[in-house]
């Protein structure tokens, strides 16, 4: 898979490590309904890494996305002051896996406009900053 140039403050080595972590956790997904197993790995500003996988439910709308599980895990461990520097999202089988709209808004809650978001899109790793994926995200003023 090809990768476009990484953004500053996240090295290629860190991106590789996050990708390995995301692939590992994707294997734990509970996805009997879609068979679409997703893993997300967060790199926090503190340098710590947290991961999550999707957890589906037979009442489909109760499904938790991988990104939301990873964020919930990080907040549970460290509290609400976490700041996400980068996130890598993968599908276990290498399928395109762009974060859904709800996950983009959830990432915005704990990220910055510059948070790096990496995900596979048609065989290429897409690297974006969060503001490019969710311009005009909701904020309670
Ligand atoms: N999914 C995620 O985990 N993250 C996303 O950003 C999009 C979709 C999961 C939810 C569901 O279990 C499966 O992918 C298929 O939609």
């Amino acid at each position: 898979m090809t990768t476009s140039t990484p953004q500053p403050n996240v090295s290629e080595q860190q991106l590789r490590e996050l990708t390995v972590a995301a692939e590992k956790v994707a294997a734990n997904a509970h996805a009997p309904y879609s068979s679409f197993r997703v893993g997300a790995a967060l790199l926090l500003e503190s340098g710590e890494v947290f991961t999550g996988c999707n957890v589906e439910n037979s009442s489909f709308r109760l499904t938790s996305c991988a990104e939301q599980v990873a964020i919930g895990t990080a907040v549970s461990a460290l509290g609400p002051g976490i700041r996400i520097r980068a996130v890598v999202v993968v599908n276990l089988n290498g399928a395109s896996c762009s974060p859904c709209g709800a996950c983009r808004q959830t990432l915005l809650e704990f990220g910055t406009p510059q948070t790096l978001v990496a995900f596979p899109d048609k065989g290429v790793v897409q690297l974006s900053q969060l503001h490019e994926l969710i311009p005009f995200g909701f904020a309670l003023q």
Side-chain angles (χ1 to χ4, degrees):
M1 201 177 283
T2 54
T3 306
S4 49
T5 314
Q7 310 284 314
N9 82 13
V10 182
S11 69
E12 290 196 37
Q13 173 67 17
Q14 284 173 311
L15 278 177
R16 274 195 295 273
E17 288 170 8
L18 290 169
T19 302
V20 168
E23 287 169 349
K24 186 173 177 208
V25 74
N28 290 340
H30 174 65
Y33 308 107
S34 71
S35 298
F36 195 85
R37 289 185 284 176
V38 183
L42 309 174
L43 173 65
L44 304 184
E45 287 297 351
S46 64
E48 289 160 284
V49 172
F50 286 87
T51 61
C53 60
N54 54 329
V55 183
E56 297 186 347
N57 192 281
S58 59
S59 178
F60 294 163
R61 69 190 179 87
L62 299 183
T63 289
S64 298
C65 286
E67 299 91 322
Q68 298 185 353
V69 171
I71 290 168
T73 302
V75 172
S76 300
L78 299 178
I82 65 161
R83 223 14 84 198
I84 301 169
R85 189 191 306 172
V87 54
V88 173
V89 183
V90 302
N91 166 268
L92 192 61
N93 301 314
S96 297
C97 198
S98 172
C100 74
C103 285
R104 294 175 191 201
Q105 179 70 36
T106 308
L107 287 165
L108 199 54
E109 184 79 16
F110 295 102
T112 69
Q114 286 71 42
T115 293
L116 180 64
V117 185
F119 56 90
D121 180 63
K122 300 182 195 82
V124 176
V125 175
Q126 187 69 43
L127 287 175
S128 307
Q129 293 187 349
L130 191 52
H131 69 88
E132 300 173 289
L133 298 180
I134 181 165
F136 302 104
F138 179 74
L140 200 56
Q141 300 292 341

